[in-house]
Amino acid sequence: MSAYVIVHAIINDPEKMKGYETPAGPSVKAAGGEVITSGAVAGVLAGSHGHQRTIILRFADAQVARDWCAS
């Protein structure tokens, strides 16, 4: 069953973030994962959300997602 990693981010240094994004995408693909969506938080339907950006990644299963996170 697919497993998802949901990242909520506040980007304090856009230049440093660019340096992180370059290797992050290929590392997801190398683990057999895919980026489902990545972008600015456009709105919240209920409650509050204190982050600027949300990224959703899909992996084959929970163990693959854990292994990628630990890599």
Side-chain angles (χ1 to χ4, degrees), residues 4-9 11 17 20-21 24 28 34-41 49 52-58 68:
Y4 297 84
V5 173
I6 301 172
V7 178
H8 299 292
I11 300 167
M17 184 63 184
Y20 177 77
E21 288 174 337
V28 170
E34 67 177 306
V35 177
I36 300 300
T37 189
S38 175
V41 175
H49 190 284
Q52 301 166 336
R53 185 177 183 94
T54 298
I55 303 157
I56 301 175
L57 310 172
R58 178 172 47 211
W68 175 80

Side-chain angles (χ1 to χ4, degrees), residues 18-29:
K18 287 179 187 175
Y20 177 77
E21 288 174 337
T22 300
S27 78
V28 170
K29 287 184 182 181

Side-chain angles (χ1 to χ4, degrees), residues 41-52:
V41 175
V44 178
L45 297 177
S48 62
H49 190 284
H51 298 90
Q52 301 166 336

